[in-house]
């Protein structure tokens, strides 16, 4: 059968036969996924079986993988899938036509159809499986920029920065007290969002006034789960305690009393001295003459 006739048969079969199996699957960007297509009631002669995996497209359907007369055949496969789409030749006789896709891209999302045809008519569809594949991109594990340990003082303002990249949908960024899992909400938070093509990069900075030891981590919350950074444990150098007010007053009073006593003692010593009297010279001469 000629190539265009084969494709006509595929399209005809797809339009006239409802899918027996429908699956929904998720794949991760740059990851791998295996799309199911199994039929356990194959005729004895595998050489009479043709299989097509197709990706439905707005303009035309793309051939992703194919089996011609019981053997894997690459000549009909679209260029974008060559080297990335794989059928296991050893599983064909058992009716295993699962499609393995490697190095997934965002453009691989779509509707995949596995059609098993029985030759020589190529119009007898033995099985028709549809798989809805969605390729998602996950944010990277968040990384924190933190101050150097051992150099923090009581009351010091400290900045922590958390970065993550590569997601498709805007996440929620939270700062968590790792000791009890509570959210830190008493700091000044600044967030930066950057769109890089199809991807989103995020950065969050929190400023804290440190008055006690802290164990902090950053969490990126997405629809597919949470990503948590390594936690940072910080111990501060405590502020020297201030003297209590009563002690200060006591020291002041004690100082004043001390000054008063010293002054009093000095004054007493001055008053106890015996006064001296010197006779004027003229009076001495007068006494001598008398």
């Amino acid at each position: 059968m000629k190539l265009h006739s084969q494709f006509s048969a595929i399209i005809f079969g797809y339009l006239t036969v409802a899918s027996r199996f429908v699956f929904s699957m998720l794949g991760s960007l740059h990851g791998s996924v295996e799309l199911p297509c199994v039929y356990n009631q194959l005729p004895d002669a595998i050489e009479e079986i043709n299989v097509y995996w197709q990706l439905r497209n707005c303009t035309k359907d793309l051939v992703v993988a194919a089996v011609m007369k019981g053997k894997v055949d690459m000549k009909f496969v679209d260029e974008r899938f060559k080297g990335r789409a794989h059928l296991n030749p050893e599983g064909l006789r058992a009716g295993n036509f699962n499609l393995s896709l490697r190095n997934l891209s965002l453009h691989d999302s779509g509707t995949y159809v596995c059609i098993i045809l029985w030759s020589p008519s190529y119009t007898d569809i033995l099985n028709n499986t549809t798989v809805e594949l969605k390729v998602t991109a996950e944010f990277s594990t968040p990384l924190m920029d933190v101050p150097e340990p051992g150099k923090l003082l009581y009351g010091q303002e400290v900045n922590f920065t958390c970065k993550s990249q590569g997601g498709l949908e805007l996440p929620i960024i939270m700062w968590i007290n790792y000791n009890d899992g509570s959210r830190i909400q008493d700091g000044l938070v600044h967030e930066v969002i950057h769109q890089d093509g199809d991807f989103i990069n995020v950065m969050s900075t929190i400023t804290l006034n440190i008055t006690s030891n802290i164990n902090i981590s950053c969490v990126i919350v997405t629809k597919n789960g949470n990503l948590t950074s390594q936690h940072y444990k910080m111990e501060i150098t405590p502020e020297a305690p201030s003297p209590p007010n009563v002690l200060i007053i006591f020291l002041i009073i004690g100082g004043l009393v001390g000054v008063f006593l010293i002054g009093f003692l000095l004054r007493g010593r001055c008053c106890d001295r015996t006064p001296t009297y010197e006779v004027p010279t003229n009076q001495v001469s007068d006494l001598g003459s008398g």
Side-chain angles (χ1 to χ4, degrees), residues 174-211:
M174 296 192 304
W175 292 95
I176 300 297
N177 184 342
Y178 200 79
N179 290 327
D180 57 11
S182 62
R183 185 172 182 178
I184 300 175
Q185 297 179 318
D186 57 350
L188 178 62
V189 179
H190 176 67
E191 294 184 359
V192 176
I193 302 168
H194 176 65
Q195 190 83 25
D196 184 10
D198 294 325
F199 305 106
I200 297 175
N201 303 328
V202 294
M203 181 177 70
S204 176
T205 300
I206 187 170
T207 302
L208 298 176
N209 187 283
I210 306 301
T211 56

Side-chain angles (χ1 to χ4, degrees), residues 31-280:
S32 301
V33 69
E34 184 172 297
L35 309 186
C37 181
V38 178
Y39 186 70
N40 297 320
Q41 302 176 12
L42 289 178
D44 294 335
I46 186 65
E47 293 77 12
E48 296 181 350
I49 296 298
N50 288 356
V51 180
Y52 290 93
W53 270 101
Q54 294 178 310
L55 172 61
R56 295 183 62 187
N57 197 291
C58 295
T59 56
K60 65 175 182 178
D61 292 344
L62 305 178
V63 178
V64 181
V67 174
M68 300 295 297
K69 296 182 178 180
K71 295 182 180 181
V72 176
D73 195 323
M74 299 296 297
K75 61 185 175 182
F76 302 132
V77 175
D78 188 84
E79 287 295 328
R80 62 181 274 189
F81 292 105
K82 286 185 177 180
R84 297 196 302 119
H86 176 72
L87 296 174
N88 184 7
E90 297 179 359
L92 300 184
R93 289 189 178 277
N96 182 350
F97 303 103
N98 290 350
L99 173 67
S100 296
L101 277 178
R102 299 192 299 265
N103 193 21
L104 293 173
S105 71
L106 296 179
H107 300 292
D108 289 335
S109 295
T111 302
Y112 290 78
V113 181
C114 174
I115 302 174
I116 303 175
L117 301 171
W118 183 34
S119 61
S121 65
Y122 296 102
T123 57
D124 295 332
I125 299 179
L126 301 179
N127 187 64
N128 188 358
T129 300
T130 300
V131 181
E132 297 288 345
L133 175 64
K134 181 179 180 181
V135 179
T136 63
E138 299 295 338
F139 280 94
S140 61
T141 301
L143 297 175
M144 282 204 310
D145 292 333
V146 298
E148 295 183 14
K151 296 185 178 181
L152 301 176
L153 300 176
Y154 181 93
Q156 180 179 349
E157 283 194 347
V158 180
N159 294 326
F160 297 89
T161 300
C162 175
K163 299 177 182 178
S164 182
Q165 58 187 8
L168 296 179
E169 298 180 2
L170 188 63
I172 298 173
I173 308 175
M174 296 192 304
W175 292 95
I176 300 297
N177 184 342
Y178 200 79
N179 290 327
D180 57 11
S182 62
R183 185 172 182 178
I184 300 175
Q185 297 179 318
D186 57 350
L188 178 62
V189 179
H190 176 67
E191 294 184 359
V192 176
I193 302 168
H194 176 65
Q195 190 83 25
D196 184 10
D198 294 325
F199 305 106
I200 297 175
N201 303 328
V202 294
M203 181 177 70
S204 176
T205 300
I206 187 170
T207 302
L208 298 176
N209 187 283
I210 306 301
T211 56
S212 62
N213 294 340
I214 192 170
N215 201 346
I216 191 172
S217 62
C218 171
V219 178
I220 305 294
V221 182
T222 70
K223 291 182 178 180
N224 298 324
N226 300 341
L227 299 169
T228 305
S229 70
Q230 291 185 338
H231 64 280
Y232 176 76
K233 188 175 182 180
M234 180 180 58
E235 295 183 356
I236 64 173
T237 302
E239 184 183 36
S242 301
N245 293 334
V246 175
L247 180 58
I248 294 176
I249 295 173
F250 177 78
L251 291 176
I252 292 174
I253 295 175
L256 293 176
V257 171
V259 171
F260 175 78
L261 289 176
I262 292 172
F264 178 79
L265 292 175
L266 291 177
R267 183 179 178 184
R269 291 183 60 188
C270 293
C271 296
D272 290 341
R273 289 181 181 179
T274 302
T276 60
Y277 178 76
E278 294 183 1
V279 180

